[in-house]
Amino acid sequence: QNIGVEQTASKFVKSTRGEVWKNMKGYEKLYEISNRGRVWSKLTKKLLIHILHKGKYEVHLRDNGKSANVSIARLIAVNFIDNPDNLRF
């Protein structure tokens, strides 16, 4: 499926004040994440639901038949915090 600019979160989601959206690293063609922790699926054109697991919020991501629950905090760190020394989050 061809994913164009018209399918970005900013077109479909009312952003909160100061909310910034970026293509999610590692899932650039499938998802966007905001600095507020909201995750947008470019395929379904919907926000993903957060899952509370062991005290941490996660989202369920899928790519080429593989799926994983990933921490929202980790996704924000990877996508919005500069890491010039390539340290682990």
Side-chain angles (χ1 to χ4, degrees):
Q1 180 177 356
N2 186 8
I3 298 173
V5 174
E6 68 280 1
Q7 293 179 323
T8 63
S10 59
K11 178 168 174 106
F12 291 95
V13 178
K14 183 173 179 162
S15 295
T16 61
R17 187 175 193 174
E19 189 169 27
V20 177
W21 290 91
K22 290 186 176 183
N23 287 323
M24 189 182 296
K25 291 180 183 176
Y27 298 90
E28 288 83 354
K29 293 185 179 182
L30 299 173
Y31 300 102
E32 290 183 25
I33 185 163
S34 82
N35 59 332
R36 307 270 190 203
R38 298 198 297 171
V39 179
W40 173 258
S41 170
K42 294 181 181 183
L43 294 176
T44 64
K45 299 179 193 156
K46 293 181 182 178
L47 289 170
L48 299 186
I49 297 171
H50 292 185
I51 303 160
L52 184 59
H53 179 72
K54 295 184 179 181
K56 296 181 181 180
Y57 285 100
E58 301 178 340
V59 287
H60 189 76
L61 303 178
R62 293 187 177 110
D63 185 20
N64 285 335
K66 295 181 182 178
S67 64
N69 288 339
V70 184
S71 161
I72 295 292
R74 179 171 175 73
L75 289 172
I76 292 171
V78 167
N79 288 280
F80 287 95
I81 298 174
D82 290 332
N83 189 5
D85 297 326
N86 204 25
L87 301 173
R88 269 181 59 152
F89 285 108

